[in-house]
Amino acid sequence: MIEVKQVTTPKQRKQFLRFPLRLYKNCKYFVPPLNVDEKRIFRSDYMYCDQAEAVYFNAYLDGKMAGRISGILQHAANKKWGQKRVRFTRFDCIDDLDVARALFDAVESWARQKGMTEMAGPLGFSDLEREGLLIEGFDCLSTFEEQYNYPYYQRLIEQCGYVKDVDWLEHKLRAPQGLDPKIERISNHMMQRYNLHFGQAKNSDEFLKKYADGIFRVWDETYDGIYGTVPFTEKMKKSIVESFRMIVDTRFVSVILDEKEQMVAFGVAFPSIADAVRRSRGRLTPLCLLRIMRSVKHPKVLELGVIGVTDQYKNKAISTALIAKIGKDIVRKISHAETNLTLEYNDRINNLWKLFEAERHKRRRCYVKKL
C-alpha cells in the first residue's frame, strides 16, 4: 500500500531530509547538500518565506519511506514571468512508478488548490538552489552546487506526464598548455579601449566588503531575462555573502571596474568542496570542516560559479577577459574546472568554453506539465 503524507512533524521532517542519504548510500557520485543548510527550509524565517510558500510530502510503501517531493509556489517568479506555475523540487524516489505518481499527484493537487495551471521542475526557490534533472553524465561526481540523481528518475517523471521545458549544459574545462595569445591581446585591447581595470582585494573579507553590492547589482542585471530567475532580496544577499565567506578565495574571483570604480563585470569560481561534503554525507563535522579548509587552500578542482557583465559591456570581449584570467589560474594551480549550469541556447556563454579544452559531460533538464 502507498501512502503519501504532508510533512508536518519533526519525525517526518527528519525522514524527508535523510531519505536521499539512504537512497544514495552506495553511490559514489552523489554529493548531498550540507544538512545544516537543508534544515533551514523548514524554518519560519527561511530567506524565501517573504516571496514564496512551500509544501513537503513523504511517500511510504507498506509503511517504509519510499520517496519525497516538495512543491513551491514562487510568487515573485510568477509575477516576474506572468505565470501561474508551481515548481517541484527535492524529488527523490525508489524505482517505482506508482510511488512517483502518488508524489506528483499530491503536489499537483496542491497546485490546483492554489489556482495554478502548470507545474515545472526540478526548480528551487531561486536559481541559487539546485535545479534540473540529470539526464546525461551519471558517471561523474556531482558538483557541490548541483544535484545528482539516478537515471530512472527521467523515466518516472516523463511517465507522470512531464515534457521538456529547457535543458542546461555542464562542461569540464582543462586549460591548454598556453591560452591563445590572440585572446589575451584582444582582452587587453578592450580593457584599455574602455578604460577598465581589475579590482584588487587582499583577502575574502576585503573582497566582500568592497565588491558584494556591485556583484549583486551586476548579477541582477545580467540574469534578469534568464529562465526561472527571481530578483535578489536582502535576505538572499545576506545568505549568499555568508556562504561566500566560507569558500571564496581571492585567487579565483575577478571584478572589472570602470574609471569611476563602478563594477561592470565579475567572475566567481570556487574551490570544489564536493568530495569533502560527500565523504561526511552532508554533516558539518570537525573532520568535514578540516577537509573543506584543505580543499579551499589547496584546490584540485574549481567550480565556475557565476559570470556577470552589465548590458553596456556585453559583446565587447569583457567576459573573455574574465575567463582568460581564470584560465591562467587553472594552468598554474588546478587540474581542471567544472562549469555549473548554462542554458543550452546561451551561445554567448557556451562559446567562452572554447578557450579551454572543453568536454560537455553533463546535461540537465527542467520539465513542465499543464494541470
Side-chain angles (χ1 to χ4, degrees), residues 7 22 45 53 82 86 107 118 130 133 169 190 195 201 222 229 257-258 265 269 315 336 340 344 354:
V7 174
R22 179 164 61 85
D45 62 347
E53 51 188 300
V86 158
V107 180
E118 64 180 9
R130 297 179 173 196
L133 187 83
L169 308 178
M190 299 305 287
N195 198 19
T222 303
T229 56
L257 312 174
D258 64 16
N315 304 316
H336 69 276
N340 280 312
E344 61 181 341
K354 295 178 181 179

Side-chain angles (χ1 to χ4, degrees), residues 251-268:
R251 293 174 296 172
F252 308 120
V253 295
S254 296
V255 297
I256 296 178
L257 312 174
D258 64 16
E259 68 276 11
K260 297 180 181 179
E261 296 298 309
Q262 292 296 305
M263 189 179 301
V264 301
F266 74 92
V268 178

Side-chain angles (χ1 to χ4, degrees), residues 48 51 72 74 76-78 80-81 83 85 87 120 122-129 131 165-166 168 223-231 236 343 345 366:
Y48 296 106
Q51 62 177 200
I72 297 172
Q74 209 339 327
N78 282 349
K80 175 180 177 178
W81 298 101
Q83 297 170 329
R85 170 179 285 191
R87 302 175 170 199
L123 288 169
F125 287 92
S126 77
D127 62 327
L128 301 178
E129 291 202 317
E131 57 187 356
D165 199 19
V166 71
W168 292 276
Y223 292 89
D224 178 62
I226 298 297
Y227 180 92
T229 56
V230 297
M236 291 168 64
L343 288 164
Y345 53 76
C366 180

Side-chain angles (χ1 to χ4, degrees), residues 133-151:
L133 187 83
L134 187 68
I135 61 171
E136 295 177 10
F138 298 103
D139 59 348
C140 301
L141 180 69
S142 180
T143 64
F144 175 68
E145 298 295 325
E146 303 303 336
Q147 182 72 10
Y148 183 87
N149 57 263
Y150 288 127

Side-chain angles (χ1 to χ4, degrees), residues 103-123:
L103 286 166
F104 278 103
D105 285 348
V107 180
E108 289 168 13
S109 176
W110 180 76
R112 293 188 187 97
Q113 292 172 19
K114 296 291 183 178
M116 299 297 105
T117 59
E118 64 180 9
M119 197 158 92
L123 288 169

